[in-house]
Amino acid sequence: AQSVTQLGSHVSVSEGALVLLRCNYSSSVPPYLFWYVQYPNQGLQLLLKYTSAATLVKGINGFEAEFKKSETSFHLTKPSAHMSDAAEYFCAVSANDYKLSFGAGTTVTVRA
Amino acid sequence: GAGVSQSPSNKVTEKGKDVELRCDPISGHTALYWYRQSLGQGLEFLIYFQGNSAPDKSGLPSDRFSAERTGGSVSTLTIQRTQQEDSAVYLCASSPRVGQGYNQPQHFGDGTRLSIL
């Protein structure tokens, strides 16, 4: 079965500081990996996805993630946090055509 | 419409009542998905449709849950004899077709927040 583990349910960063959200995956086949963001009372918005074309994936809002097969990781980073980055972030994996399996989520707060 | 539309946005009902949740996917999207987001279980896959057929219903929690899709467009998720553990946010997503290729991201609606009293 495919699954992801997000390390840290809450992350607090200062505005302008690095944002690092950790995700490790477990998959018996080459996975498709995703990061989604959820703002309060809204649905999920796709930040970026890995589909084996490149190990470093750039997404929206200045986020990027690096796929490391040796570490089974797909960590999300942003060099400089903005107040608007405060939200909940979900890592997800799919090893088939349709079903996404999500991590438990990481809530990001940004301090002024 | 421009995005996935779900209605109602909020629903409060008494235990034992039936509820219907509606999802209107992005025009032209043939694949439609239902997920449930709850405090205890996180985000869970429920069911997906390719056109009007549902090849995988394995995520539906019990036989009180059912879903249908008509005309390859609108989908309805029905929960019969609701229980308090059904309280959650029900999210719908759609994609141009089934598949996780670069051009097949799942686009999510804002969800229906269901509260069972």
Side-chain angles (χ1 to χ4, degrees):
Chain A
Q2 293 71 38
S3 65
V4 292
T5 301
Q6 291 183 241
L7 301 177
S9 58
H10 291 87
V11 169
S12 180
V13 299
S14 298
E15 191 172 19
L18 171 72
V19 180
L20 170 60
L21 305 182
R22 300 179 186 274
C23 174
N24 288 89
Y25 69 91
S26 170
S27 176
S28 58
V29 298
Y32 292 112
L33 292 160
F34 308 80
W35 276 99
Y36 281 86
V37 61
Q38 186 177 36
Y39 299 100
N41 298 315
Q42 293 187 23
L44 301 171
Q45 180 181 4
L46 180 67
L47 282 176
L48 49 81
K49 66 188 296 184
Y50 167 75
T51 57
S52 77
T55 56
L56 183 62
V57 183
K58 294 188 183 296
I60 62 172
N61 302 340
F63 284 93
E64 64 181 33
E66 186 173 9
F67 174 73
K68 292 187 176 181
K69 185 177 180 179
S70 61
E71 299 177 6
T72 61
S73 69
F74 191 56
H75 302 331
L76 181 72
T77 60
K78 181 174 180 177
S80 178
H82 191 272
M83 298 298 289
S84 62
D85 295 327
E88 189 163 18
Y89 293 79
F90 293 91
C91 183
V93 65
S94 175
N96 61 25
D97 283 342
Y98 56 89
K99 184 186 298 186
L100 292 174
S101 297
F102 290 89
T106 299
T107 300
V108 173
T109 57
V110 182
R111 305 185 305 272
Chain B
V4 177
S5 178
Q6 293 188 246
S7 61
S9 55
N10 288 280
K11 177 72 176 179
V12 180
T13 192
E14 294 180 348
K15 176 183 173 181
K17 301 288 188 183
D18 297 351
V19 295
E20 285 189 352
L21 313 179
R22 176 188 168 103
C23 174
D24 202 342
I26 293 172
S27 179
H29 282 194
T30 62
L32 185 148
Y33 316 80
W34 284 98
Y35 293 85
R36 180 170 72 173
Q37 185 174 25
S38 59
L39 285 176
Q41 302 299 322
L43 276 155
E44 307 170 276
F45 168 85
L46 297 179
I47 187 172
Y48 90 99
F49 290 88
Q50 177 58 50
N52 292 333
S53 65
D56 187 351
K57 305 179 182 179
S58 63
L60 294 177
S62 73
D63 59 7
R64 296 185 296 104
F65 288 72
S66 63
E68 66 175 11
R69 189 178 185 196
T70 56
S73 181
V74 172
S75 176
T76 302
L77 178 68
T78 301
I79 309 174
Q80 296 178 309
R81 306 181 302 282
T82 52
Q83 304 294 314
Q84 288 187 331
E85 62 263 27
D86 300 333
S87 295
V89 176
Y90 290 82
L91 293 166
C92 177
S94 71
S95 63
R97 52 189 178 274
V98 170
Q100 298 295 359
Y102 186 80
N103 293 319
Q104 307 299 335
Q106 294 184 20
H107 300 265
F108 283 79
D110 287 341
T112 293
R113 185 174 301 274
L114 177 64
S115 299
I116 310 299
L117 302 179

